[in-house]
Amino acid sequence: MFGMSEAGGAMTEEMDSCRKILSARAYLYLLFHKLYGGEPTEELMEVLGGSDTSEALGIFSQEDETIEKCQGFLERLCRDLADDERRQRFIGLCGDEYVAIFYGFPKALVVPSESFYRSGDHSLLSEVTLAVRDFYRRFNVLPARYPRTPDDHIALEMAFMSCLARDAMEAFDKRDWRELVTLLQAQAKFADDHLLAWIPSFAAEVRKMSDPCLYPQLIKTTEAFVSMDRQCLNNIALWLAEEVALTDRDAPLGGTDGNAAVSSHEDGTGALDRLESLRLPHLEDNELVPTTA
């Protein structure tokens, strides 16, 4: 997947490819956090149909049919919602769908929390919930509104992966390979122990809903992305072990001052910052906040 050229400390094509993947995965985890943590708005629809989202999905779409279909679905949706009346009607339908999935109103059809699928008795608080909380504590974050929102809500788990993914980008830019490996290993373990252990079941239940509008398609894409990202983490870790750690351990990313050789727009940080600024109704109920180390 990656390899080092003889360019040594220079930004090689392989390094650039790795950086784009790290950026795209951080963007998508943040997008899924916003999607499942806050109610839909016109601004969210603009983000879904925008170039930042299309480019992030495009990094992975060539390797996964579900992600490719989602990219096409969102691009068509953007064109279809050019008409203001149609757009407002669609946002209303998405709002109803969001409430049904994430608030369980008027009837709980699915539950967006890990413990429900893994506790054995459909409990919303179990050892699984506590294990997720312990994982958060290791990285000095906790839910902002605990106990109002369970630790293992899908929005919070996406937020956690987004935090670690962005930290991994920063470690890469600093060429702090030891920290990068630690972060990649943590994300791989969280995916194995938690995300991959329940999101497929959640997605399967959501797909049973009649007249899907937006969220069933995106939850299916989340399932596909998490699975693909897990393999991606393996590939990056292997590349680091076999190539970078041996040939480029101490080299700065873009020169002797250690600054990146690309702009924030080109390296994906600009897209992340734009997405980070998106505020949705009730998103504050599904966010992680720093704790005292």
Side-chain angles (χ1 to χ4, degrees):
M1 183 176 182
F2 305 109
M4 285 294 294
S5 74
E6 295 179 357
M11 172 70 94
T12 66
E13 181 178 348
E14 293 79 9
M15 294 287 280
D16 186 48
S17 176
C18 182
R19 183 55 168 74
K20 288 179 179 178
I21 290 171
L22 291 173
S23 174
R25 61 186 300 275
Y27 180 94
L28 290 175
Y29 277 118
L30 180 59
L31 178 65
F32 295 139
H33 163 232
K34 302 274 186 177
L35 274 167
Y36 308 141
E39 296 177 14
T41 64
E42 188 165 348
E43 291 76 17
L44 176 61
M45 296 303 142
E46 292 176 357
V47 167
L48 290 175
S51 60
D52 289 342
T53 297
S54 181
E55 289 172 9
L57 289 170
I59 295 293
F60 300 95
S61 62
Q62 293 182 356
E63 303 294 332
D64 187 274
E65 183 179 3
T66 297
I67 297 175
E68 181 182 19
K69 287 181 177 179
C70 180
Q71 185 182 23
F73 166 70
L74 293 178
E75 290 173 353
R76 291 191 301 274
L77 184 63
C78 181
R79 294 192 296 269
D80 292 343
L81 297 184
D83 177 75
D84 184 66
E85 182 178 349
R86 179 180 295 179
R87 182 170 62 254
Q88 295 304 320
R89 184 168 60 251
F90 181 78
I91 292 172
L93 292 173
C94 289
D96 292 342
E97 190 172 72
Y98 181 91
V99 168
I101 295 173
F102 296 99
Y103 293 157
F105 182 84
K107 179 181 179 181
L109 302 176
V110 294
V111 178
S113 297
E114 179 180 352
S115 184
F116 179 84
Y117 298 91
R118 299 189 60 203
S119 63
D121 60 357
H122 296 319
S123 171
L124 295 182
L125 178 62
S126 69
E127 292 182 358
V128 172
T129 317
L130 300 179
V132 171
R133 188 183 307 166
D134 287 343
F135 223 117
Y136 294 165
R137 288 186 186 277
R138 284 175 49 194
F139 291 88
N140 302 315
V141 293
L142 281 176
R145 295 293 176 88
Y146 177 82
R148 179 174 175 178
T149 302
D151 306 69
D152 56 357
H153 189 284
I154 189 171
L156 291 173
E157 293 195 356
M158 294 293 106
F160 182 63
M161 288 294 281
S162 173
C163 289
L164 296 193
R166 187 147 193 174
D167 287 346
M169 287 174 57
E170 294 177 0
F172 181 92
D173 288 348
K174 296 175 182 177
R175 295 208 172 182
D176 186 344
W177 306 127
R178 187 183 300 275
E179 176 67 7
L180 179 56
V181 168
T182 297
L183 289 164
L184 295 178
Q185 289 175 340
Q187 291 170 84
K189 182 168 178 55
F190 191 76
D192 288 340
D193 292 356
H194 298 288
L195 302 182
L196 293 171
W198 78 280
I199 288 180
S201 298
F202 173 57
E205 290 301 311
V206 171
R207 285 197 292 272
K208 296 177 183 178
M209 296 178 63
S210 59
D211 301 321
C213 183
L214 177 69
Y215 289 94
Q217 296 92 319
L218 293 174
I219 291 168
K220 181 179 180 181
T221 301
T222 301
E223 176 192 4
F225 169 69
V226 168
S227 178
M228 185 175 180
D229 182 57
R230 180 61 185 86
Q231 182 58 50
C232 185
L233 290 171
N234 281 346
N235 291 339
I236 296 174
L238 181 63
W239 173 66
L240 285 168
E242 293 185 348
E243 303 287 351
V244 177
L246 295 176
T247 63
D248 206 37
R249 182 181 292 114
D250 300 316
L253 183 58
T256 57
D257 62 357
N259 293 327
V262 291
S263 70
S264 62
H265 174 75
E266 293 169 332
D267 72 6
T269 306
L272 272 170
D273 289 342
R274 287 188 291 275
L275 181 57
E276 189 67 61
S277 68
L278 175 67
R279 303 304 302 173
L280 301 174
H282 305 296
L283 182 63
E284 65 274 9
D285 293 337
N286 294 294
E287 292 188 306
L288 297 174
V289 294
T291 62
T292 303

